[in-house]
Amino acid sequence: MKKFKLFLDLNTEEDWINGVQAGGYRFTGVNPFLHRYSFQKLASAEDFNPYTRLDFRDRGLSRQHYQDYQQLFNDSGWRLVTGSRHGGIQYFQQMSPASAHDIFSDERSKQRSRNRDSKRGYINGVFFLSYFYFFMHSGSINLLDPRSWYLTEGLWHMQGEWFWKAFAFETPFVLLRMIPAFLFLILGIYYFSRVIHNGYGLRRKGD
């Protein structure tokens, strides 16, 4: 079973995954770019259905250090379902019913993981919105005026067949210019929404 879902914080994502699993499915992976979650239906209600917990790494690890990181959780009864040594969200599941119900030893450790997620969201938000800002101020393009997206001189004064030929010729180039800009705007808003939703600045003051 595939499900698409977008989240603003790790706790809500974690609760949603475990909620789906409670319906008789086991989480098997996620595409982090498409936000597509994969679940496998359990053969029977008696099958062990593990809890899924999320950690966040804001730095990349060498292959050896990433193996050591996974082994640390394995020793506590948890296995990595999906994740990357380059950082980001790491998804863990219980290896047996005897494993603890959480991967964190205390609430402070869990909060540090959530703060790392918010910090990365802040950095990503600044990057994407800065790109959008500089792109929109690097020329005569006006976001609210689609005519300014076209750079052919005198295009809007042309008439008839000449206009449509020039318009059709430049439109693919307009899309190549504007789609990345709007994508970066959307991503910037998304990441800053995560930061605001998680109250990153307030939590740092309270640490």
Side-chain angles (χ1 to χ4, degrees), residues 81-109:
V81 177
T82 185
S84 170
R85 70 181 181 88
H86 301 294
I89 305 175
Q90 316 293 321
Y91 298 79
F92 290 92
Q93 281 184 345
Q94 287 175 299
M95 298 172 67
S96 73
S99 303
H101 284 184
D102 207 334
I103 57 176
F104 300 103
S105 58
D106 53 48
E107 188 61 29
R108 188 172 181 82
S109 299

Side-chain angles (χ1 to χ4, degrees), residues 83-170:
S84 170
R85 70 181 181 88
H86 301 294
I89 305 175
Q90 316 293 321
Y91 298 79
F92 290 92
Q93 281 184 345
Q94 287 175 299
M95 298 172 67
S96 73
S99 303
H101 284 184
D102 207 334
I103 57 176
F104 300 103
S105 58
D106 53 48
E107 188 61 29
R108 188 172 181 82
S109 299
K110 183 174 184 178
Q111 191 59 61
R112 283 198 293 265
S113 171
R114 276 38 183 171
N115 282 351
R116 290 193 296 268
D117 174 45
S118 293
K119 180 181 178 181
R120 173 64 64 85
Y122 178 80
I123 294 172
N124 288 345
V126 169
F127 171 77
F128 287 122
L129 290 183
S130 295
Y131 172 90
F132 176 78
Y133 176 83
F134 286 119
F135 175 84
M136 298 307 298
H137 289 78
S138 61
S140 58
I141 295 177
N142 183 346
L143 179 65
L144 301 179
D145 182 11
R147 292 185 301 176
S148 70
W149 304 352
Y150 290 78
L151 306 181
T152 300
E153 187 174 353
L155 173 64
W156 303 107
H157 297 291
M158 296 180 183
Q159 295 180 355
E161 183 179 353
W162 284 108
F163 168 77
W164 290 110
K165 284 183 177 180
F167 180 82
F169 176 79
E170 190 175 354

Side-chain angles (χ1 to χ4, degrees), residues 24-102:
Y25 293 87
R26 177 177 296 179
F27 172 69
T28 58
V30 59
N31 184 317
F33 302 104
L34 299 178
H35 297 275
R36 184 184 67 189
Y37 295 80
S38 299
F39 297 87
Q40 182 179 16
K41 189 168 182 60
L42 299 178
S44 69
E46 287 73 30
D47 287 352
F48 169 56
N49 200 357
Y51 282 101
T52 297
R53 300 299 185 199
L54 278 56
D55 187 25
F56 188 89
R57 306 300 307 172
D58 58 351
R59 294 182 176 88
L61 299 173
S62 67
R63 286 186 174 84
Q64 183 58 53
H65 286 161
Y66 192 56
Q67 290 176 0
D68 294 341
Y69 168 75
Q70 294 181 57
Q71 188 60 50
L72 179 67
F73 286 94
N74 288 345
D75 293 342
S76 300
W78 292 81
R79 69 177 185 88
L80 181 72
V81 177
T82 185
S84 170
R85 70 181 181 88
H86 301 294
I89 305 175
Q90 316 293 321
Y91 298 79
F92 290 92
Q93 281 184 345
Q94 287 175 299
M95 298 172 67
S96 73
S99 303
H101 284 184
D102 207 334

